[in-house]
Amino acid sequence: MKGARSLATCWTGAEKVLGIAAMEQSGPSTRTFSVKTASFQDAVRTLNTLQTNAGYLEQVKRQRGDPQTQLDTMKLYLARSGLQVEDLDQLNIIHVTGTKGKGSTCAFTERILRSYGLKTGFFSSPHLVQVRERIRINGQPISPELFTKHFWHLYHRLEETKDSSSCVSMPAYFRFLTLMAFHIFLQEKVDLAVVEVGIGGAYDCTNIIRKPVVCGISSLGIDHTSLLGDTVEAIAWQKGGIFKHGVPAFTVLQPDGPLAVLWDRAQQISCPLYLCPSLEALEEGGPPLTLGLEGEHQRSNAALALQLARCWLQQKGHQGLGELKMSRPSVLRQMPLAPVFQPTSHMRHGLRDTEWLGRTQTLRRGPLTWYLDGAHTVSSVQACVRWFRQALYRSQRPSRGREVRVLLFNSTGNRDSEALLKLLQPCQFDYAVFCPNLTEVSSASNADQQNFMVTLDQVLLRCLAHQQHWSHLDEEPAGPDLWSRTSPEQGDEPTSLLLASRPRHPHSTGSLVFSCISHALQWISQGRDPVFQPPSPPPSLLAHPVAGSGAGVLREAAAVHVLVTGSLHLVGGVLKLLDPSLSQ
């Protein structure tokens, strides 16, 4: 079997390491730490024992028959931690959900309001490198010391208040972090908190927030279907669950079906819902807006963020809201259009200075350019492909030598990886590389990346399935190279890039499976990234014919373009290795 040969060479030793990793990961649940002596890593390891996102999803699915129970349970956890839902009103929350772009929308919103001199809190998920990224003060992840202090305070408080009749004393991983964020934001006395929904909206644990200042819903699409429903309309119903009576809400242009669902949801509870005008409408009559995040799809997120920030400022009696322009009437279900206004200098600077790692992010390192985007749904991968294409066209072509394109991909959960790969296949990659979301084969030394819900066997077999999907797509008749500046000649591709068992046509892609991100990056970079300089790679990395011949091509290429996508966790692992400062 072709795939098995690739796995055997690039997965050397992984099964042996698996047992070590499993034993090391089982330790934290039996260990106890004092608040004074426990380290940040001790806190993270203990947090990991609560339950990871995969397990949380399964738990929520089982409880779906009585979803209100989930919110009631979260309120009980909040009370046990020493807070009541009324206390959260002090946080002046902006609550945001959506299928794609909700994190970017939150990042834009937080940065705009910070540019007004406000002290901001920001709760988001997932994290890329360190778990403390999920809780930010003034745009910066909380310090390891602050994380450790609040983790143990909350952990011991919940232990002390557990009911002897209850079989579960601790909330699940995401619930615990949500509680922790609320406590930190209150203690740090933030002026506002931007809170990103975890999954869905109606029954997400963040939805114990009863009086946000404003709510937002970014672009909707299909994701988490086993939990939220398998139509965009069903998903829209779940997302609209964050609407509150009398609290202004904003959304971007959606297809008619889900937009009608959102409108009905809002009408039922007397929530004033507004449709955001395009960014072009806000730019009209003034200079164009510069966004800190790349990609055409970010303009929709920025338009929503501007409305959320302006509404928050208006609700709180702030000045400097931007000069109003004439508002055009909406033609969709009589939904009112949000104000069309001239963005202020603070708003412009906020949009320009927004940073949100792992989303349409580019890192240029000598001959290598890394394109990082955690797209993991059909619609977000489509947006990623458009961004990647535009970036390639803008890139400076070397005067001599070859350009090589590499895909580094992984997909997790119940997502249709074959559909995602089909969207990426026309990019005409020279190599497709697959690996699990593990920085190293053993993650025991890095608590932030531990996941107790899967084994190395499972994740590597899934990567092998990705490779097989790619092989089937690659064997289909090749279409025109839509990405090249000029059409390639028939013999441009060296035969060394082809898997021997495949039909040899000009656009065939060599594919490999590696046991961890580090090995994948070592093979792709070939020591040419000036920052990522690991020890010499194991000989097994070059044992497969594709790996051996490809190494020479990558070493000699004038430019190497690497797209990393399919999973935010994969992107996070890549960033951890390419930018060591993120781990400090």
Side-chain angles (χ1 to χ4, degrees):
M1 179 175 133
K2 174 173 56 184
R5 287 200 297 273
S6 297
L7 187 63
T9 55
C10 300
W11 189 10
T12 303
E15 289 172 291
K16 182 178 180 181
V17 178
L18 174 63
I20 299 172
M23 287 190 292
E24 289 175 331
Q25 288 184 350
S26 66
S29 61
T30 61
R31 298 168 65 185
T32 59
F33 309 98
S34 73
V35 178
K36 290 183 179 179
T37 62
S39 70
F40 170 64
Q41 289 297 313
D42 290 333
V44 176
R45 290 188 184 98
T46 305
L47 171 66
N48 288 343
T49 67
L50 299 183
Q51 201 170 344
T52 62
N53 196 46
Y56 175 63
L57 286 177
E58 291 301 318
Q59 175 185 322
V60 171
K61 280 191 286 186
R62 288 194 300 269
Q63 297 176 347
R64 197 175 176 188
D66 186 14
Q68 186 59 41
T69 301
Q70 300 166 41
L71 294 179
D72 293 340
T73 301
M74 185 63 179
K75 291 174 184 176
L76 289 174
Y77 282 128
L78 185 71
R80 283 175 49 195
S81 76
L83 295 176
Q84 299 299 320
V85 288
E86 294 81 3
D87 296 322
L88 305 184
D89 300 347
Q90 304 171 42
L91 293 177
N92 301 314
I93 289 170
I94 299 173
H95 203 192
V96 181
T97 189
T99 305
K100 49 180 179 161
K102 59 187 170 82
S104 298
T105 297
C106 288
F108 278 130
T109 305
E110 184 277 332
R111 189 63 188 86
I112 290 169
L113 291 171
R114 183 157 37 106
S115 72
Y116 277 82
L118 295 164
K119 185 175 183 178
T120 63
F122 181 10
F123 178 61
S124 65
S125 60
H127 61 276
L128 293 179
V129 178
Q130 296 194 61
V131 67
R132 59 192 180 89
E133 298 165 24
R134 296 182 183 225
I135 305 173
R136 295 171 182 260
I137 303 292
N138 286 333
Q140 295 300 311
I142 60 172
S143 68
E145 294 77 18
L146 192 63
F147 183 99
T148 304
K149 169 188 167 184
H150 281 280
F151 174 84
W152 290 114
H153 178 82
L154 178 58
Y155 188 88
H156 290 308
R157 172 85 185 199
L158 291 170
E159 279 282 9
E160 292 163 1
T161 57
K162 66 181 179 183
D163 185 347
S164 60
S165 63
S166 172
C167 60
V168 180
S169 63
M170 287 289 168
Y173 184 96
F174 183 76
R175 286 181 175 180
F176 189 99
L177 288 170
T178 304
L179 293 170
M180 192 167 151
F182 290 151
H183 277 271
I184 290 173
F185 294 156
L186 284 167
Q187 179 161 322
E188 293 296 312
K189 295 181 170 56
V190 298
D191 294 315
L192 67 118
V194 179
V195 176
E196 178 189 359
V197 166
I199 294 173
Y203 307 122
D204 185 76
C205 67
T206 65
N207 208 29
I208 60 170
I209 299 165
R210 60 173 202 152
K211 286 186 179 180
V213 175
V214 60
C215 297
I217 296 185
S218 66
S219 185
L220 298 178
I222 299 292
D223 196 19
H224 299 298
T225 53
S226 62
L227 185 63
L228 304 179
D230 56 7
T231 67
V232 186
E233 288 76 14
I235 290 171
W237 189 92
Q238 293 280 350
K239 305 290 184 181
I242 69 167
F243 294 156
K244 302 295 187 296
H245 174 78
V247 174
F250 297 84
T251 189
V252 298
L253 187 62
Q254 315 276 4
D256 288 351
L259 195 61
V261 172
L262 292 179
W263 180 247
D264 290 343
R265 272 286 235 174
Q267 291 292 99
Q268 288 169 10
I269 60 168
S270 299
C271 163
L273 176 63
Y274 301 91
L275 188 62
C276 292
S278 68
L279 206 60
E280 289 78 7
L282 274 62
E283 289 175 316
E284 193 175 325
L289 293 163
T290 301
L291 306 185
L293 306 183
E294 297 180 9
E296 188 66 22
H297 58 288
Q298 295 292 357
R299 292 180 64 81
S300 170
N301 301 328
L304 176 55
L306 284 168
Q307 296 293 343
L308 294 173
R310 185 181 187 278
C311 181
W312 190 95
L313 291 165
Q314 186 178 46
Q315 296 280 73
K316 292 300 172 182
H318 286 258
Q319 302 301 311
L321 303 180
E323 182 183 349
L324 278 177
K325 304 177 183 179
M326 186 65 68
S327 181
R328 296 188 290 269
S330 172
V331 296
L332 293 172
R333 297 289 304 273
Q334 289 76 48
M335 187 183 298
L337 198 68
V340 180
F341 61 92
Q342 188 77 42
T344 66
S345 60
H346 288 307
M347 294 174 182
R348 289 179 175 276
H349 292 154
L351 291 176
R352 181 198 64 194
D353 297 339
T354 298
E355 295 180 354
W356 196 226
L357 299 184
R359 287 81 169 177
T360 59
Q361 181 183 359
T362 304
L363 291 176
R364 293 178 176 85
R365 302 281 184 77
L368 289 119
T369 305
W370 304 90
Y371 303 87
L372 309 172
D373 190 66
H376 53 272
T377 67
V378 167
S379 52
S380 60
V381 169
Q382 288 173 329
C384 172
V385 165
R386 288 193 294 271
W387 163 67
F388 183 59
R389 177 181 64 183
Q390 292 164 356
L392 283 181
Y393 272 109
R394 289 195 304 266
S395 66
Q396 185 175 358
R397 194 171 190 179
S399 57
R400 62 177 63 184
R402 180 178 172 184
E403 288 183 297
V404 177
R405 300 175 201 154
V406 182
L407 171 66
L408 178 57
F409 178 90
N410 191 32
S411 179
T412 60
N414 60 357
R415 295 183 175 91
D416 186 350
S417 58
E418 188 168 9
L420 303 183
L421 289 169
K422 190 168 186 176
L423 293 171
L424 292 161
Q425 200 265 347
C427 298
Q428 305 297 344
F429 292 104
D430 298 293
Y431 299 97
V433 177
F434 306 97
C435 68
N437 300 336
L438 299 171
T439 307
E440 308 288 346
V441 173
S442 171
S443 63
S445 61
N446 179 22
D448 287 279
Q449 292 202 334
Q450 285 182 328
N451 184 348
F452 298 153
M453 303 308 297
V454 292
T455 65
L456 266 176
D457 279 323
Q458 292 171 322
V459 295
L460 284 166
L461 288 172
R462 185 170 175 86
C463 290
L464 187 54
H466 297 333
Q467 185 192 41
Q468 291 168 340
H469 291 323
W470 185 264
S471 300
H472 295 150
L473 292 169
D474 202 33
E475 288 166 358
E476 295 176 359
D481 186 350
L482 303 176
W483 303 79
S484 296
R485 294 175 175 84
T486 59
S487 298
E489 295 298 324
Q490 193 72 8
D492 280 353
E493 301 282 343
T495 56
S496 61
L497 297 190
L498 307 176
L499 288 176
S501 58
R502 294 191 192 159
R504 294 176 177 242
H505 61 73
H507 299 299
S508 188
T509 304
S511 63
L512 294 164
V513 174
F514 290 96
S515 57
C516 65
I517 297 170
S518 179
H519 287 176
L521 295 193
Q522 287 180 60
W523 183 80
I524 293 169
S525 64
Q526 292 296 315
R528 303 180 74 190
D529 186 305
V531 176
F532 178 64
Q533 292 289 323
S536 299
S540 61
L541 287 189
L542 301 180
H544 190 276
V546 171
S549 61
V553 173
L554 290 165
R555 281 194 297 268
E556 298 298 324
V560 180
H561 300 279
V562 188
L563 176 62
V564 184
T565 193
S567 166
L568 271 170
H569 300 285
L570 172 66
V571 168
V574 170
L575 274 173
K576 176 180 171 62
L577 294 173
L578 295 184
D579 188 354
S581 67
L582 297 175
S583 300
Q584 296 172 0

